[in-house]
């Protein structure tokens, strides 16, 4: 297991409150007198979650968006956020971050309620990476907040939107993809810097799904987490993974590029399991909202992740997606 997985496994012995859900979810659900609160916290570290030369306005957007993605996966309505901010002695960066934060909060219709600021010591602020944190609070839907657990053999696996765009955007910024049309370049970089989680879609899906999570670290690794939390196997059909026109322009449609998309991370799309009897209702929802919802697999007997391509079983890749590890040196993929 990775250092991240080992650390979380140790925390499970401490996180015994029912609201923690065994640390199998990206959000906690706390029952209160008038319903339930959904609580989530995400951090962005310079050089891990964003590049040092990314505009501060987009860093602020991403910090809000990744937390809204967790709420979307629980079908929650945002109620407010708390900001943790590191002052690094760059007032222009701070002003631009604040401007971007307002744009993001207005877009997602969520108020800033408070938080905390800290200043780095003068002798380290020039070399240490910037660290930012945000806690988001939401109200759970009346049907209950879906969890990663709950998928069962026979369920169908769907994703929203397209997969792999953010990873391709990062590759472009790091110079790993060179020849590409300007429109595709702009679309992919925007997907990396300004993810667009769909809160309304999460709220509409919550009463229908067996299990739901957001795709933050990569489709394959998040599907594997859902399978293990649910106690079943999930088989992903790689050739069914939806690729955008911009992604195809950048990488093409070869099987290896489907795998690259499915392990890239930073998509912030929804991954959910659905009983076959609800597929008609799902299609009606997609048509009514103009949302792309793509079936990419199914739940089976067993445990963990399986892969198929063009109807044939495939071995799992060595890397399913992004995991935090002390040995990592580059931005998340």
């Amino acid at each position: 297991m990775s250092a991240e997985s080992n650390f979380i496994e140790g925390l499970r012995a401490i996180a015994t409150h029912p609201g923690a859900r065994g640390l199998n979810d990206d959000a906690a659900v706390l029952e209160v007198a008038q319903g339930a609160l959904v609580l989530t916290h995400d951090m962005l570290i310079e050089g891990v979650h964003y590049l040092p030369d990314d505009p501060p306005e987009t860093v602020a957007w991403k910090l809000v968006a990744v937390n809204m993605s967790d709420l979307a996966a629980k079908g929650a309505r945002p109620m407010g956020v708390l900001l943790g901010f590191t002052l690094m002695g760059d007032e222009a960066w701070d002003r631009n971050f604040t401007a971007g934060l307002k744009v993001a909060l207005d877009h997602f219709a969520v108020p800033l309620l408070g938080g905390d600021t800290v200043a780095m010591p003068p002798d380290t602020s020039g070399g240490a990476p910037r660290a930012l944190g945000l806690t988001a609070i939401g109200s759970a839907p009346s049907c209950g907040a879906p969890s990663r657990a709950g998928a069962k053999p026979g369920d169908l696996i769907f994703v929203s939107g397209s997969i792999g765009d953010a990873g391709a955007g990062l590759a472009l910024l790091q110079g790993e993809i060179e020849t590409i049309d300007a429109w595709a370049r702009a679309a992919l970089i925007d997907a990396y810097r300004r993810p667009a989680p769909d809160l309304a879609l999460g709220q509409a899906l919550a009463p229908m799904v067996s299990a739901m999570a957001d795709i933050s670290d990569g489709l394959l690794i998040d599907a594997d987490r859902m399978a293990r939390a649910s106690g079943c196997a999930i088989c992903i059909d790689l050739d069914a993974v939806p690729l955008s026109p911009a992604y195809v322009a950048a990488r093409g449609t070869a099987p290896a590029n489907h795998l690259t998309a499915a392990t890239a991370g930073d998509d912030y799309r929804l991954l959910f399991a659905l009983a076959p009897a609800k597929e008609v209702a799902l299609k009606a929802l997609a048509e009514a909202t103009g949302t792309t919802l793509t079936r990419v697999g199914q739940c089976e007997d067993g445990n963990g992740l399986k892969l198929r391509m063009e109807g044939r079983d495939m071995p799992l890749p060595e890397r399913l997606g992004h995991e935090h590890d002390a040995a990592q040196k580059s931005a998340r993929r």
Side-chain angles (χ1 to χ4, degrees), residues 14 138 148 169 296:
I14 304 172
R148 277 198 181 112
V296 295

Side-chain angles (χ1 to χ4, degrees), residues 161-172:
S162 56
I163 302 298
D165 289 354
L170 174 60
L172 281 163

Side-chain angles (χ1 to χ4, degrees), residues 76-96:
R77 179 180 60 82
M79 298 175 65
V81 298
L82 303 169
L83 173 68
F85 190 83
T86 305
L87 296 165
M88 305 288 284
D90 187 341
E91 293 187 11
W93 200 98
D94 297 346
R95 285 194 302 272
N96 291 333

Side-chain angles (χ1 to χ4, degrees), residues 157-324:
I157 298 295
F158 286 83
V159 297
S160 65
S162 56
I163 302 298
D165 289 354
L170 174 60
L172 281 163
L173 290 168
Q174 293 181 321
E176 297 173 12
I177 301 173
E178 297 179 359
T179 304
I180 184 174
D181 291 339
W183 67 268
R185 179 181 179 87
L188 296 174
I189 291 175
D190 199 52
Y192 174 67
R193 288 178 169 169
R194 292 173 55 87
D198 194 334
L199 288 160
L201 177 62
Q203 293 162 18
L205 287 171
M208 304 171 62
V209 302
S210 305
M212 186 157 63
D214 73 326
I215 303 172
S216 55
D217 294 327
L219 169 58
L220 296 191
I221 197 168
D222 286 317
D224 183 63
R225 290 166 177 163
M226 180 178 286
R228 295 184 186 281
S230 298
C232 67
I234 289 179
C235 183
I236 298 295
D237 298 309
L238 275 178
D239 47 325
V241 172
L243 306 178
S244 72
Y247 183 91
V248 172
R251 291 200 182 274
T253 58
N257 295 325
H258 278 259
L259 183 60
T260 298
T263 58
D266 269 347
D267 289 310
Y268 301 103
R269 304 298 193 179
L270 292 175
L271 168 73
F272 57 95
L274 186 87
K278 297 182 179 180
E279 194 171 9
V280 173
L282 183 71
K283 182 178 179 180
L285 171 65
E287 291 176 348
T289 60
T291 304
T292 301
L293 301 173
T294 305
R295 178 181 169 182
V296 295
Q298 54 281 324
C299 299
E300 302 176 351
D301 291 326
N303 193 41
L305 183 69
K306 300 179 181 179
L307 289 184
R308 292 195 184 107
M309 184 76 181
E310 297 176 347
R312 295 188 297 272
D313 292 342
M314 287 184 60
L316 295 180
E318 181 178 344
R319 174 183 168 279
L320 297 180
H322 178 84
E323 288 189 282
H324 292 279

